[in-house]
């Protein structure tokens, strides 16, 4: 019997053991098969790790860190994570996804984009889902991102719907894929994903070539082309701007996107509304704006109609949108779609709006406003993740497994006092991927953020890649 047929001495197993890489207990690892051999799509990476050794890995880490500093990448956008970590760094080891797995992810995210586009149109239009009680009304009506002022402002006829969307997906130990977060209102991470791809490609060009990595430049070209086609005027050269309310400099993610797409980066104070149109206040006069790609919360976009008295928006922009004087991506009222309270009801909503079964389910979620769900969450609080049912800033996410007995009792009392404000979610044992550390390669849990949008033909365009975020916990 040849050595290749003996599991204990297979070359694929030796590739992992040679770099000291192994799974963590019963946790699923994306790079290893159940028998400990390296999965086919990860073979090129492990061969490179074996060939270059720890010295090579250290050199990769140093090169990535240097380029990241030079390009201003040594930061973490606060909107990517509700609890940003200090010392965020770019890992030179990429997350590798097989063509077969990617096809499933792409189909699931494409369906989810179509679903939430239809859901958005319904919530600001006929509200069929609300009238048929497909979900509890409290989840919608109590959410600060549900903008009643935009009722009947539905996608189409010059009104952009979802625009660019982001989806955080993860796989558990059983191999089941779940969506853990949806982001529609100014999702961050797109520019960071592009920059990360370019940095790693610069450091490991041969590895990228052998792995046959799909290019993502066309996705950006399609997105920018879509924005131009959404212009309410017949201009041959529509004026598209990216709106940034942050105080970050030109090396920020938004600044990088503006430079990459060749469009102007503006702040709310740079814009004004006159005669139903939006204009840039330039040195040589007013310049008309056709399309705004916003990277700020939609609820603060119009300082006249915002419930936030401190909103730094553009006075009168909602009226300009209503009059088709400007197109804004994404729809200012899409933030409500991010509510975790909708998760228990998404499968039913999908069947009603699309006539399809949901391809990628959300992580198991219970809305505590229902007595049975409240009882289940209370009885299993130690294994639950507690989130607000509505806006993410209403309550800081708590992990029951990390709380003491007294903290669990305090949390239970808080939930019982206002059950409609909370959801409980199953805490996933997220699968791991190889990540680099000063001492070598170790497995760490990972969540992949994917990006997509619906074009003018209502076809979902999904970026062939994403932003993988890795846990720093041992």
């Amino acid at each position: 019997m040849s050595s290749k047929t003996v599991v204990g001495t297979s070359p694929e197993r030796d590739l992992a053991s040679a770099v000291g890489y192994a799974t963590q207990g019963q946790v699923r690892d994306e790079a290893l098969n159940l028998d400990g051999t390296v999965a086919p799509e990860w073979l090129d990476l492990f061969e490179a790790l074996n060939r270059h050794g720890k010295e090579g890995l250290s050199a990769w880490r140093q090169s990535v860190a240097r380029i990241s500093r030079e390009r201003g990448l040594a930061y973490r956008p606060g909107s990517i994570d509700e609890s940003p970590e200090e010392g965020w760094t770019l890992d030179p080891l990429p997350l590798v996804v097989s063509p077969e797995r990617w096809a499933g992810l792409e189909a699931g995210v494409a369906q989810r984009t179509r679903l939430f586009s239809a859901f958005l149109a319904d919530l600001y239009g006929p509200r069929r889902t609300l009238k048929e009680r497909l979900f509890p009304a409290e989840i919608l009506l109590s959410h600060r991102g549900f903008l009643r002022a935009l009722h009947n402002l539905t996608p189409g006829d010059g009104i952009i719907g979802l625009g660019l969307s982001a989806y955080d997906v993860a796989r558990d130990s059983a191999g089941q894929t779940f969506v853990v977060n949806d982001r529609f209102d100014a999702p961050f991470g797109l520019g960071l994903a592009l920059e990360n791809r370019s940095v790693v490609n610069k450091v490991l060009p041969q590895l990228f070539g052998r792995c046959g990595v799909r290019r993502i430049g066309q996705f950006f070209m399609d997105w920018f082309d879509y924005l131009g086609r959404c212009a309410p005027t017949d201009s041959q050269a529509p004026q598209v701007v990216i709106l940034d309310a942050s105080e970050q400099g030109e090396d920020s993610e938004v600044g990088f996107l503006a430079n990459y797409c060749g469009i102007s980066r503006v702040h709310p104070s740079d814009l004004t509304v006159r005669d139903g149109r939006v204009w840039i206040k330039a040195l040589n006069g007013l310049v008309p704006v056709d399309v705004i790609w916003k990277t700020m919360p939609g609820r603060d976009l119009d300082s006249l109609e915002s419930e936030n008295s401190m909103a730094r928006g553009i006075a009168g922009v909602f009226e300009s949108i209503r009059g088709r004087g400007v197109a804004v991506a994404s729809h200012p009222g899409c933030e409500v779609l991010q509510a975790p309270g909708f998760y228990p009801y998404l499968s039913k909503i999908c069947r009603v709006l699309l006539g399809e079964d949901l391809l990628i389910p959300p992580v198991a979620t219970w809305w505590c406003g229902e007595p049975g769900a409240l009882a289940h969450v209370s009885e299993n609080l130690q294994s639950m993740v507690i989130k607000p049912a509505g806006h993410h800033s209403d309550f800081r996410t708590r992990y029951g497994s990390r709380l003491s007995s007294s903290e669990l009792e305090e949390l239970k009392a808080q939930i019982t006092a206002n059950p409609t404000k909370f959801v409980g979610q199953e805490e996933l044992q997220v699968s791991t991927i190889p990540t680099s550390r000063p001492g070598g390669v170790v497995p760490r849990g990972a969540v992949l953020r994917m990006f997509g949008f619906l074009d003018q033909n209502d076809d979902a365009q999904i970026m062939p890649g994403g932003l993988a975020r890795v846990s720093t916990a041992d």
Side-chain angles (χ1 to χ4, degrees):
M1 181 180 292
S2 69
S3 61
K4 287 186 179 182
T5 62
V6 179
V7 172
T9 60
S10 69
E12 292 82 1
R13 180 183 295 276
D14 291 343
L15 284 174
S17 60
V19 296
Y21 189 76
T23 58
Q24 291 180 326
Q26 299 301 312
V27 179
R28 180 189 182 92
D29 191 89
E30 297 294 336
L32 301 181
N33 297 315
L34 295 179
D35 61 0
T37 58
V38 177
E41 64 271 21
W42 288 88
L43 283 173
D44 287 317
L45 176 60
F46 273 85
E47 287 173 354
L49 287 169
N50 276 271
R51 186 165 56 253
H52 293 278
K54 288 187 176 181
E55 294 77 11
L57 179 61
S58 178
W60 296 347
R61 288 171 54 83
Q62 292 174 13
S63 296
V64 164
R66 174 180 54 78
I67 298 173
S68 296
R69 286 193 299 270
E70 292 173 353
R71 297 188 179 185
L73 275 176
Y75 75 102
R76 185 182 185 86
S79 296
I80 286 184
D81 199 308
E82 296 167 17
S83 56
E85 300 168 348
E86 296 294 332
W88 175 87
T89 56
L90 171 60
D91 194 322
L93 303 186
L95 167 58
V96 184
V97 182
S98 69
E100 296 77 20
R101 172 158 163 72
W102 182 259
L105 290 173
E106 195 170 45
V109 168
Q111 182 200 55
R112 207 169 182 89
T113 304
R114 292 187 292 109
L115 168 61
F116 278 104
S117 179
F119 196 19
L120 176 71
D122 181 69
L123 293 182
Y124 287 96
R127 297 181 183 169
R128 175 190 175 190
T129 54
L130 181 62
K131 293 173 182 176
E132 295 184 8
R133 300 183 179 182
L134 298 185
F135 59 87
E138 296 96 320
I139 298 170
L140 173 70
L141 301 179
S142 63
H143 198 290
R144 72 184 69 176
F146 179 56
L147 306 183
R148 293 165 176 80
L150 299 184
H151 180 56
N152 285 331
L153 193 71
T154 56
D157 188 26
I159 305 298
I160 296 176
L162 285 187
L164 190 72
S165 306
Y167 309 89
D168 293 335
V169 298
R171 188 147 64 165
D172 67 5
S173 293
Q176 173 69 51
T177 300
F178 296 93
V179 174
V180 296
N181 284 305
D182 301 282
R183 291 292 179 261
F184 307 105
D185 192 45
F188 277 74
L190 181 67
L192 201 56
L194 176 62
E195 269 278 47
N196 288 358
R197 176 73 71 91
S198 68
V199 172
V200 176
N201 189 24
K202 184 178 180 67
V203 175
L204 304 172
Q206 295 180 344
L207 178 61
F208 260 55
R210 288 197 301 273
C211 290
V213 177
R214 292 174 59 184
R215 298 183 180 275
I216 60 177
Q218 185 62 46
F219 175 82
F220 286 85
M221 294 176 61
D222 292 341
W223 167 242
F224 188 61
D225 180 65
Y226 165 75
L227 290 177
R229 292 177 182 273
C230 291
T233 65
D234 295 328
S235 171
Q236 295 299 313
Q239 178 73 260
V240 180
V241 300
I242 186 167
L243 179 64
D244 184 13
S246 74
E247 301 297 332
Q248 293 179 315
E250 290 299 321
D251 60 353
S252 70
E253 180 185 26
V254 177
F256 173 76
L257 285 172
N259 292 333
Y260 184 84
C261 295
I263 58 179
S264 299
R265 176 192 181 212
V266 298
H267 290 81
S269 58
D270 298 324
L271 303 178
T272 185
V273 177
R274 307 277 181 89
D275 299 323
R277 295 282 318 264
V278 177
W279 307 78
I280 300 176
K281 293 180 283 187
L283 292 176
N284 58 346
L286 298 177
V287 178
V289 173
D290 297 301
V291 181
I292 298 174
W293 174 9
K294 69 176 183 63
T295 62
M296 62 179 290
R299 65 182 186 280
D300 294 336
L301 187 60
D302 191 328
S303 54
L304 286 180
E305 300 195 44
S306 174
E307 296 181 3
N308 179 10
S309 59
M310 302 298 291
R312 297 175 52 199
I314 310 160
V317 71
F318 281 1
E319 193 59 33
S320 181
I321 297 173
R322 295 185 188 102
R324 276 57 174 179
V326 69
V328 175
S330 299
H331 189 289
C334 68
E335 186 180 25
V336 67
L337 300 175
Q338 300 174 180
F342 288 128
Y343 275 16
Y345 314 100
L346 273 187
S347 293
K348 183 164 51 176
I349 293 171
C350 185
R351 286 191 293 270
V352 169
L353 294 182
L354 299 185
E356 302 172 6
D357 291 327
L358 200 58
L359 295 178
I360 302 180
V363 60
T365 305
W366 294 264
W367 179 61
C368 295
E370 295 182 348
L374 175 61
H376 177 81
V377 171
S378 298
E379 292 169 5
N380 299 276
L381 194 57
Q382 193 169 9
S383 61
M384 287 283 173
V385 179
I386 304 301
K387 293 182 177 181
H391 197 273
H392 64 80
S393 65
D394 293 340
F395 175 80
R396 183 172 59 88
T397 298
R398 306 291 297 276
Y399 290 80
S401 60
R402 305 175 188 177
L403 302 180
S404 65
S405 297
S406 60
E407 288 173 328
L408 285 170
E409 288 301 319
E410 181 182 345
L411 179 58
K412 183 182 295 186
Q414 190 175 1
I415 297 171
T416 304
N418 293 286
T420 61
K421 294 184 178 181
F422 297 95
V423 297
Q425 291 185 337
E426 176 186 354
E427 184 174 3
L428 293 181
Q429 194 174 48
V430 177
S431 63
T432 58
I433 64 171
T435 61
S436 69
R437 291 293 184 270
V441 184
V442 297
R444 290 290 182 266
V447 174
L448 174 64
R449 172 160 289 192
M450 298 176 61
F451 301 90
F453 68 94
L454 282 188
D455 62 22
Q456 287 194 312
N457 297 320
D458 289 333
D459 293 326
Q461 304 297 324
I462 309 302
M463 189 175 83
L467 180 67
R469 290 175 290 151
V470 179
S471 170
T472 58
D474 291 332

